C-alpha cells in the first residue's frame, strides 16, 4: 500500500504498446476519500508508485471505444456512489 493510503484495490491493467509498458489503474483510499491512481511497469512485476489521476472515484475500468481509450469509474458525491 503506497504511503498515505490505507487501502489499494480493484486493479485494472492494460498494455501500452507504444511505450512497451503496462499501465495499472487502481482504487486508493486514504481513510476519508477514494482516488484512482496510475502505476506503470516495463516488466509487469515491478510497478511505479501510483500517481493520482482522478479524485473522489474508484473501481476503474478502461474501454476502447471508437478507436480511443476511455476511463470509466464509480464516482462519490459525498453521500452516494454512481457511474
Amino acid at each position: 500500500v503506497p504511503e498515505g493510503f490505507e487501502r489499494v484495490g480493484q486493479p485494472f491493467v492494460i498494455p501500452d504498446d507504444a511505450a512497451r509498458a503496462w499501465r495499472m489503474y487502481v482504487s486508493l483510499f486514504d481513510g476519508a476519500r477514494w482516488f484512482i491512481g496510475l502505476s506503470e511497469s516495463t516488466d509487469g512485476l515491478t510497478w511505479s508508485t501510483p500517481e493520482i489521476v482522478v479524485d473522489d472515484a474508484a473501481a476503474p475500468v478502461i474501454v476502447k471505444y471508437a478507436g480511443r481509450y476511455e476511463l470509466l469509474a464509480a464516482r462519490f458525491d459525498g453521500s452516494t456512489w454512481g457511474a
Side-chain angles (χ1 to χ4, degrees):
V1 176
E3 186 176 336
F5 294 95
E6 293 181 2
R7 292 184 227 156
V8 61
Q10 302 162 322
F12 194 96
V13 179
I14 61 169
D16 181 341
D17 295 331
R20 294 186 174 175
W22 295 91
R23 295 183 186 268
M24 177 170 54
Y25 294 85
V26 296
S27 299
L28 300 163
F29 184 65
D30 70 0
R33 295 174 58 201
W34 285 93
F35 304 87
I36 293 177
L38 171 62
S39 294
E40 297 181 340
S41 174
T42 56
D43 62 10
L45 300 173
T46 305
W47 293 88
S48 65
T49 300
E51 293 184 33
I52 302 300
V53 293
V54 182
D55 295 343
D56 299 315
V61 175
I62 306 297
V63 296
K64 189 171 186 178
Y65 178 75
R68 52 183 270 184
Y69 291 97
E70 296 192 19
L71 170 66
L72 305 177
R75 302 268 324 182
F76 188 65
D77 68 7
S79 60
T80 59
W81 286 93

